């Protein structure tokens, strides 16, 4: 086997590895976008006190212009 063949074989191996990594990344992408119900609950729990504060702040006559 000559040097040219070695380079071609390596190039093909790298291309195959790159394709595999792209395929694996594509498989994982939809999983990243999904949110579990626990995530939604924790976000809701964090958001509710902020919303109450905003409502209280808007209702307070001292802070209105």
């Amino acid at each position: 086997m000559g040097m040219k063949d070695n380079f071609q074989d390596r190039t093909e191996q790298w291309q195959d590895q790159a394709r595999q990594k792209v395929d694996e990344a594509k498989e994982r992408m939809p999983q990243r976008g999904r949110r579990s119900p626990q995530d939604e609950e924790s976000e809701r729990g964090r958001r509710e006190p902020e919303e109450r504060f905003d409502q209280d702040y808007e209702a307070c006559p001292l802070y209105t212009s």
Side-chain angles (χ1 to χ4, degrees):
M1 215 184 258
M3 286 182 67
K4 182 179 178 181
D5 293 331
N6 285 338
F7 282 119
Q8 285 179 338
D9 288 343
R10 265 194 227 151
T11 302
E12 289 174 8
Q13 288 175 350
W14 289 338
Q15 287 175 344
D16 290 341
Q17 288 175 353
R19 284 187 198 107
Q20 288 175 351
K21 288 183 180 183
V22 167
D23 290 341
E24 290 172 4
K26 284 180 182 178
E27 289 174 5
R28 282 184 293 209
M29 286 301 277
Q31 294 172 356
R32 284 187 182 175
R34 293 183 189 154
R35 299 180 76 177
S36 70
Q38 294 170 345
D39 291 342
E40 291 175 11
E41 288 178 19
S42 65
E43 183 178 335
R44 189 178 316 126
R46 186 175 57 247
R47 201 174 43 223
E48 285 177 356
E50 291 176 3
E51 290 173 355
R52 276 193 302 247
F53 175 79
D54 291 342
Q55 290 171 355
D56 292 344
Y57 185 82
E58 290 171 0
C60 183
L62 296 174
Y63 297 109
T64 57
S65 7

